[in-house]
Amino acid sequence: MSFDFDQAMPFARNTLYADLRRDSGPAWDAYVTHRFVHALAAGTLPHAEFLAWMVQDYLYLVHYTRAYALLIYKSETVADMRGAANIVFGLLNNEMSLHRQHLRQAGMTESDLDQAQEAIETLAYGRYIMDRAQAGDVLDLVVTLSACLAGYGEIGLRLLHDPQTSQADHPYRSWIETYGGSDYQGLVREGLAHMEQLSARHGGAARYPLLLKQFRQAVWLEAAFWDAGRSMGRG
Amino acid sequence: MSFDFDQAMPFARNTLYADLRRDSGPAWDAYVTHRFVHALAAGTLPHAEFLAWMVQDYLYLVHYTRAYALLIYKSETVADMRGAANIVFGLLNNEMSLHRQHLRQAGMTESDLDQAQEAIETLAYGRYIMDRAQAGDVLDLVVTLSACLAGYGEIGLRLLHDPQTSQADHPYRSWIETYGGSDYQGLVREGLAHMEQLSARHGGAARYPLLLKQFRQAVWLEAAFWDAGRSMGRG
Amino acid sequence: MSFDFDQAMPFARNTLYADLRRDSGPAWDAYVTHRFVHALAAGTLPHAEFLAWMVQDYLYLVHYTRAYALLIYKSETVADMRGAANIVFGLLNNEMSLHRQHLRQAGMTESDLDQAQEAIETLAYGRYIMDRAQAGDVLDLVVTLSACLAGYGEIGLRLLHDPQTSQADHPYRSWIETYGGSDYQGLVREGLAHMEQLSARHGGAARYPLLLKQFRQAVWLEAAFWDAGRSMGRG
Amino acid sequence: MSFDFDQAMPFARNTLYADLRRDSGPAWDAYVTHRFVHALAAGTLPHAEFLAWMVQDYLYLVHYTRAYALLIYKSETVADMRGAANIVFGLLNNEMSLHRQHLRQAGMTESDLDQAQEAIETLAYGRYIMDRAQAGDVLDLVVTLSACLAGYGEIGLRLLHDPQTSQADHPYRSWIETYGGSDYQGLVREGLAHMEQLSARHGGAARYPLLLKQFRQAVWLEAAFWDAGRSMGRG
């Protein structure tokens, strides 16, 4: 893909996030250029695997949302509480709602989803972020979640600019437009801008080695998570 | 006051909440018939004390909202998460917003409120509910918060039916209408109905002695909290 | 194996634990009769796999210990706090110390262990118990941990009575004696007795469906965890 | 008192702790030179008030110990977990045990203490530290607890060097020797040394304004806490 990510996301330079991404090196590449992502771009990903993965992604989003609920709880000002509450509201009523609509077309109800078994990759990643969100402070929390928030933004943007994905009947076009689109890209920009502010107030520079360790673990779990749908097929 | 509370709130009979309220006895009366409440009804409460108390109430609501954020985090279904998120959203954008508007008229900005010193009663009550919300399960959480939720509903309804409060220029009429009004009364009914469901699934009957202990402590702290404004005047 | 477990562990009948174990059915069997357990009994488990697994078990014990630290925090009486603190002390100074000694003979220092990468099975199980330990109450916590506490007691006892393990130079004899021995069996009995008391006070019977769901998830993760050493070999 | 505290506690210079103490100014003086402390030194504190205060101090120590249990949970290395577990063990088996022995002589059993009503000052301070211990990271936790740990060390040392306290039949001699003695002073030194290490790794310098805010709140609550015994007498 010839798309220049660094040019497209100028906010990501000279920031805590830019350092974390760069220093995650091979783990980051394993995440954003995973077989699943390539097959999604090429439109060759089997639909059954995509659906099985989306069920797991929905189950993961439950915990991602719970982590943002802890951000409301950990915020230091009422304005920050409102910001975190807006994210929770958006996740429950927009992002998870899109998943539910998509999965309803495949015959799954919300109650089926509440009862669905989590893959080991989902358990690992979902509960890892919960643990960091509870045990650390606001900066630990947003840094750990940023691997998902910004990584999906990067993948969405890459795929949107990938010539393979441009045809109108591409099977995963709507997924790509969700994460590559301006709404989600705006959320990424806001989230990373907030992370920079928290980093300044909470000593991000001095804490870099510990923050990087958490970020890398989250990135490693993101890469593993692409196989969550397959994993359930086997189990 | 000749208003028959038990008749007005029929949902409160034969429920966990009705038992908790009855078994809190004198502590409950000390809360709902406190000097502050009588002076509010009579319109004789000094406005300076009311404002000082409202600042403390706003600071308390920060923690009440944080506790409901933990309810999102502790919910067992996505539907329950949405319910708790709606409460958080309402608190941040409606109830706390009303406080901010009222206090802005008295010359205080949101930033002043973020920096205001908490009275010892506010610290005690706000952090007590946080501790129960974190250390216990969803039932411990909603039982502890119900002293505030339903107590204000009862006080609001009593005052709304109190002949003293009926004149149009009553200084605290808008406060009384907020808590006695149908919007807030609906929230109380929903909250207590949800508490009954949680009680059934989470063994409320068998846990009654421990739940009562927490509820009574919250009621005792509610009674003490009416003096939070005075307390700051002294400090 | 002809050893009659039910006769050997009479404490386990007519208890919450007995119900949970029985109702976990096939998942329980997959856990206590896993390939790894059979190979351990037969002495045919490759030593490299055993060591790789033991590193993961050590990393898991970090989180198991953290969960018991939360039990201190969630205890309702000072006597219960002391009981939980004794478990934490024993884990840090006895069980984890045995692991460290064993792994030191294989050339790994405590610092190596602090830096070791967790397998996905370790991340999943270790963080799942942390989440239940934080989000639930004391009963959720001890029920979730009991799959490990009592399961290892059962496996230790079975292996100790297995004729295959009786020869003096059995390569895993010391591991079997640790978990089958009277010290560990005493801890299991105390732990399950405490769980019964908590169940009575915290409505265990009424909460059974929710408790079973957590217990089963922990049992499923225990079965998966036997492959944690292999998993790292692949990764 | 002519005792030169700064010379006696050289560890306290050029450290995060020294800055926090200095910048708490009048609040710190209100804490360490409170009426209660003067009356303790002079031996004129009524014994009934001392006992009532000690009951509250015991109830406070329950939460102080719970906060250190959260330090085990939040520690990043097993060595740090062992350090925090040693503190919990010492609090439960030494400091709280001394309180129990003293109060048993006054006719109170451990069960009486478990059931004793907390003063509002105890609720406020005990739950404030729990909230900071849960919502923040390890550095927020140890900074908040250091107001108690090091303040009692300073008071103990001052009183031990106060000529008024030197007579053998001084009624509060044993209390003074506990906190002024070398065992407790060693714990203070270790605790503050650990806090300096955490401050370096967790960006203490950049986080100073937020850390100072928490420390000051704890100091203010310490000053208020000296009246916890009196407060119960009134209630």
Side-chain angles (χ1 to χ4, degrees):
Chain A
M1 306 179 195
S2 65
F3 168 65
D4 183 343
F5 173 73
D6 288 329
Q7 192 170 339
M9 295 182 108
F11 63 90
R13 267 177 257 156
N14 298 322
T15 59
L16 171 60
Y17 174 69
D19 290 345
L20 292 166
R21 179 175 172 274
R22 181 197 60 220
D23 294 340
S24 299
W28 188 262
D29 293 336
Y31 165 27
V32 299
T33 66
H34 190 274
R35 164 197 69 79
F36 187 99
V37 179
H38 282 299
L40 201 69
T44 55
L45 184 72
H47 195 58
E49 183 178 349
F50 181 72
L51 284 178
W53 175 85
M54 184 164 263
V55 170
Q56 295 301 315
D57 196 46
Y58 181 81
L59 298 174
Y60 163 77
L61 283 175
V62 170
H63 302 286
Y64 186 69
T65 304
R66 295 173 69 217
Y68 274 114
L70 290 178
L71 183 58
I72 304 174
Y73 154 73
K74 297 203 168 193
S75 290
E76 287 136 25
T77 65
V78 176
D80 276 358
M81 292 174 76
R82 282 195 298 267
N86 284 340
I87 297 172
V88 168
F89 205 80
L91 284 163
L92 288 169
N93 296 296
N94 301 334
E95 193 164 357
M96 293 179 77
S97 180
L98 282 174
H99 279 62
R100 278 195 298 272
Q101 284 171 33
H102 200 95
L103 293 165
R104 201 173 302 128
Q105 292 169 1
M108 300 192 70
T109 66
E110 178 165 349
S111 169
D112 293 336
L113 290 171
D114 275 331
Q115 300 302 322
Q117 166 76 32
E118 293 178 73
I120 194 134
E121 293 86 356
T122 314
L123 283 158
Y125 191 21
R127 297 326 186 288
Y128 179 76
I129 63 177
M130 292 318 296
D131 189 32
R132 294 316 308 154
Q134 271 279 23
D137 70 357
V138 278
L139 184 57
D140 294 308
L141 187 155
V142 298
V143 162
T144 305
L145 297 186
S146 71
C148 178
L149 174 74
Y152 273 53
E154 177 171 338
I155 292 164
L157 212 51
R158 283 181 190 274
L159 297 194
L160 202 63
H161 290 79
D162 185 328
Q164 294 182 94
T165 69
S166 59
Q167 77 263 32
D169 62 344
H170 190 287
Y172 304 117
R173 183 79 196 167
S174 95
W175 190 92
I176 293 165
E177 283 175 350
T178 297
Y179 294 101
S182 58
D183 283 3
Y184 189 80
Q185 296 296 320
L187 291 176
V188 175
R189 258 189 298 274
E190 277 175 38
L192 294 186
H194 185 231
M195 182 162 123
E196 287 304 305
Q197 293 163 14
L198 290 177
S199 179
R201 285 210 302 277
H202 289 268
R207 294 164 64 175
Y208 188 70
L210 292 168
L211 296 174
L212 178 59
K213 195 176 165 189
Q214 299 174 58
F215 185 81
R216 268 192 187 145
Q217 183 65 270
V219 168
W220 186 87
L221 284 159
E222 276 288 357
F225 187 73
W226 292 120
D227 286 322
R230 277 196 173 181
S231 172
M232 286 314 285
R234 276 198 308 272
Chain B
M1 306 179 196
S2 64
F3 167 67
D4 184 343
F5 174 73
D6 288 329
Q7 191 170 339
M9 295 181 108
F11 63 90
R13 268 178 257 155
N14 298 322
T15 59
L16 171 61
Y17 174 69
D19 290 346
L20 292 167
R21 179 176 172 274
R22 181 197 61 220
D23 294 341
S24 299
W28 188 262
D29 293 336
Y31 165 28
V32 299
T33 66
H34 190 276
R35 164 197 68 79
F36 188 99
V37 178
H38 283 297
L40 202 69
T44 56
L45 184 71
H47 195 59
E49 183 178 349
F50 180 74
L51 283 178
W53 174 85
M54 183 162 265
V55 170
Q56 296 301 315
D57 196 46
Y58 181 83
L59 298 175
Y60 163 77
L61 283 174
V62 169
H63 302 286
Y64 186 70
T65 304
R66 294 173 69 215
Y68 274 113
L70 291 177
L71 183 57
I72 306 174
Y73 153 75
K74 297 203 168 192
S75 290
E76 287 137 23
T77 65
V78 175
D80 275 359
M81 291 173 76
R82 282 196 298 266
N86 284 340
I87 297 172
V88 168
F89 206 80
L91 283 163
L92 288 169
N93 295 297
N94 302 334
E95 192 164 358
M96 293 179 77
S97 179
L98 282 174
H99 278 62
R100 278 196 298 272
Q101 283 170 34
H102 200 96
L103 293 165
R104 200 174 302 128
Q105 292 167 2
M108 299 191 70
T109 66
E110 179 166 347
S111 168
D112 293 336
L113 291 170
D114 276 330
Q115 300 302 321
Q117 166 77 32
E118 292 178 72
I120 194 134
E121 292 86 356
T122 313
L123 283 157
Y125 192 20
R127 296 329 185 285
Y128 179 76
I129 62 176
M130 293 317 298
D131 190 31
R132 294 316 309 154
Q134 272 278 22
D137 70 357
V138 278
L139 184 57
D140 294 307
L141 188 154
V142 297
V143 163
T144 304
L145 297 186
S146 72
C148 177
L149 175 75
Y152 273 54
E154 176 171 340
I155 292 163
L157 212 53
R158 283 182 189 274
L159 296 194
L160 203 64
H161 290 80
D162 185 327
Q164 294 182 94
T165 68
S166 60
Q167 78 262 32
D169 63 345
H170 191 286
Y172 304 116
R173 184 78 197 169
S174 95
W175 190 92
I176 293 164
E177 284 174 348
T178 297
Y179 294 101
S182 58
D183 282 2
Y184 189 81
Q185 295 295 320
L187 291 177
V188 175
R189 258 188 298 274
E190 278 175 38
L192 294 186
H194 185 231
M195 182 163 124
E196 287 305 305
Q197 293 163 12
L198 290 177
S199 179
R201 284 209 303 275
H202 289 269
R207 293 163 65 176
Y208 188 70
L210 292 168
L211 296 175
L212 178 59
K213 195 176 165 191
Q214 298 173 60
F215 184 80
R216 267 192 186 145
Q217 184 63 270
V219 168
W220 186 86
L221 284 159
E222 277 287 358
F225 187 74
W226 293 121
D227 285 322
R230 277 196 174 181
S231 173
M232 286 314 286
R234 274 199 308 272
Chain C
M1 308 179 195
S2 64
F3 168 66
D4 183 343
F5 174 73
D6 287 330
Q7 191 169 340
M9 295 182 109
F11 64 88
R13 267 178 259 156
N14 299 321
T15 59
L16 171 60
Y17 175 69
D19 290 346
L20 292 167
R21 179 176 171 272
R22 181 196 61 220
D23 294 342
S24 299
W28 187 263
D29 293 336
Y31 165 27
V32 300
T33 66
H34 191 275
R35 165 197 68 78
F36 187 99
V37 178
H38 282 299
L40 200 69
T44 56
L45 184 71
H47 194 59
E49 183 177 349
F50 181 73
L51 284 178
W53 175 85
M54 183 163 265
V55 170
Q56 295 301 316
D57 195 46
Y58 181 82
L59 298 175
Y60 164 76
L61 283 174
V62 169
H63 302 286
Y64 187 70
T65 304
R66 294 172 70 215
Y68 274 114
L70 291 177
L71 184 57
I72 305 175
Y73 154 74
K74 297 204 167 191
S75 290
E76 287 137 24
T77 65
V78 175
D80 276 359
M81 291 173 77
R82 282 196 298 266
N86 284 339
I87 297 172
V88 168
F89 206 80
L91 284 163
L92 288 169
N93 295 296
N94 302 333
E95 193 164 357
M96 292 179 77
S97 180
L98 283 174
H99 279 62
R100 278 195 299 272
Q101 283 170 35
H102 201 96
L103 293 165
R104 201 173 302 127
Q105 292 169 2
M108 299 192 72
T109 66
E110 179 165 349
S111 168
D112 293 336
L113 292 170
D114 276 330
Q115 300 303 321
Q117 166 77 30
E118 292 179 72
I120 195 133
E121 293 87 355
T122 313
L123 282 157
Y125 191 20
R127 297 326 187 287
Y128 179 76
I129 61 175
M130 292 318 299
D131 190 32
R132 295 315 309 152
Q134 273 279 22
D137 71 356
V138 278
L139 184 57
D140 294 308
L141 187 155
V142 298
V143 162
T144 305
L145 297 187
S146 71
C148 177
L149 175 75
Y152 273 54
E154 177 171 339
I155 292 163
L157 213 52
R158 282 181 190 273
L159 296 194
L160 202 64
H161 289 80
D162 185 328
Q164 294 183 93
T165 68
S166 60
Q167 77 262 33
D169 61 345
H170 191 286
Y172 303 117
R173 184 77 197 168
S174 94
W175 189 91
I176 293 164
E177 283 175 349
T178 296
Y179 294 102
S182 59
D183 282 3
Y184 189 80
Q185 294 296 321
L187 291 176
V188 176
R189 259 189 297 275
E190 279 175 38
L192 294 186
H194 185 231
M195 183 163 122
E196 287 305 305
Q197 293 164 13
L198 290 176
S199 178
R201 285 210 302 276
H202 288 269
R207 293 163 66 177
Y208 188 70
L210 292 169
L211 295 174
L212 178 59
K213 194 176 165 192
Q214 299 173 59
F215 184 81
R216 267 191 186 145
Q217 183 64 272
V219 168
W220 186 87
L221 284 160
E222 276 288 358
F225 187 73
W226 292 121
D227 285 322
R230 276 195 174 181
S231 171
M232 285 314 286
R234 277 198 306 273
Chain D
M1 306 179 195
S2 64
F3 167 66
D4 183 343
F5 174 73
D6 287 330
Q7 191 171 340
M9 295 183 108
F11 64 89
R13 268 177 257 156
N14 298 322
T15 59
L16 171 60
Y17 173 68
D19 290 346
L20 292 167
R21 179 176 172 272
R22 181 198 61 221
D23 293 342
S24 300
W28 188 263
D29 293 337
Y31 165 27
V32 299
T33 66
H34 190 275
R35 164 198 68 79
F36 187 98
V37 178
H38 282 298
L40 200 71
T44 55
L45 184 72
H47 195 58
E49 183 178 348
F50 180 73
L51 284 178
W53 175 84
M54 184 164 264
V55 170
Q56 296 301 315
D57 196 46
Y58 181 82
L59 298 174
Y60 164 76
L61 283 174
V62 169
H63 302 286
Y64 187 69
T65 304
R66 294 173 70 216
Y68 274 113
L70 291 177
L71 184 56
I72 305 174
Y73 154 74
K74 298 202 168 192
S75 290
E76 287 137 24
T77 66
V78 176
D80 275 359
M81 291 174 77
R82 282 196 298 268
N86 284 339
I87 297 173
V88 168
F89 205 81
L91 283 163
L92 288 169
N93 294 297
N94 301 333
E95 193 164 357
M96 293 179 77
S97 180
L98 282 173
H99 279 63
R100 279 195 298 271
Q101 283 170 34
H102 200 95
L103 293 165
R104 201 173 302 129
Q105 291 169 3
M108 299 192 73
T109 65
E110 179 165 347
S111 168
D112 293 337
L113 291 170
D114 276 330
Q115 300 302 323
Q117 165 78 30
E118 293 178 72
I120 194 132
E121 293 87 355
T122 313
L123 283 157
Y125 191 20
R127 297 326 186 286
Y128 179 76
I129 62 175
M130 292 318 297
D131 189 32
R132 294 316 309 154
Q134 272 279 23
D137 70 356
V138 279
L139 183 58
D140 294 307
L141 187 155
V142 298
V143 162
T144 304
L145 297 186
S146 72
C148 178
L149 174 75
Y152 273 54
E154 176 171 339
I155 292 164
L157 213 53
R158 282 181 191 274
L159 296 194
L160 202 65
H161 289 80
D162 185 329
Q164 293 182 95
T165 68
S166 60
Q167 77 263 33
D169 62 344
H170 190 286
Y172 304 117
R173 184 77 196 169
S174 94
W175 190 93
I176 293 164
E177 283 174 349
T178 296
Y179 294 101
S182 57
D183 282 3
Y184 189 81
Q185 295 296 320
L187 291 176
V188 176
R189 258 189 298 274
E190 278 174 37
L192 294 186
H194 185 231
M195 182 164 124
E196 288 305 305
Q197 293 164 13
L198 290 176
S199 178
R201 285 211 301 276
H202 289 268
R207 294 164 64 177
Y208 189 71
L210 292 168
L211 296 174
L212 178 60
K213 195 175 165 191
Q214 299 174 59
F215 185 81
R216 267 191 187 145
Q217 184 65 271
V219 167
W220 186 87
L221 283 160
E222 276 287 358
F225 187 73
W226 293 120
D227 284 323
R230 277 195 173 180
S231 172
M232 287 313 287
R234 276 199 306 272

